[in-house]
């Protein structure tokens, strides 16, 4: 129901300063990057190094805590 993700991101007013990778219909990036469930999140630094991964639903507060802890 969230496909294409670009429409969903616009509807949810996703912050534009956070780059987002929209995967293929076949979930190629999800599989290649070790996805374990949906939703699936990765934080990647400017060099392309994966800093952390997470699967499953998060509250806004727990998501913010996870991002802050990963970037610290």
């Amino acid at each position: 129901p969230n496909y294409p993700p670009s429409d969903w991101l616009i509807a949810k007013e996703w912050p534009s300063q956070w780059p987002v990778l929209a995967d293929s219909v076949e979930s190629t990036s999800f599989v290649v990057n070790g996805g374990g469930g949906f939703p699936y999140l990765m934080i990647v630094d400017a060099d392309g190094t994966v800093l952390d991964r997470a699967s499953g639903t998060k509250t806004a507060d727990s998501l913010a805590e996870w991002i802050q802890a990963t970037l610290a």
Side-chain angles (χ1 to χ4, degrees):
N2 296 338
Y3 201 88
S6 54
D7 293 342
W8 182 85
L9 293 167
I10 291 167
K12 295 299 181 182
E13 299 178 359
W14 190 261
S16 61
Q17 72 270 22
W18 294 359
V20 173
L21 168 70
D23 207 351
S24 68
V25 174
E26 297 81 19
S27 301
T28 303
S29 181
F30 174 78
V31 172
V32 169
N33 287 292
F38 291 102
Y40 181 68
L41 304 164
M42 291 182 0
I43 297 179
V44 182
D45 71 9
D47 296 324
T49 302
V50 176
L51 302 178
D52 203 1
R53 297 176 172 95
S55 294
T57 304
K58 293 184 177 297
T59 66
D61 288 340
S62 67
L63 179 60
E65 289 172 11
W66 175 68
I67 292 169
Q68 290 171 359
T70 300
L71 298 179

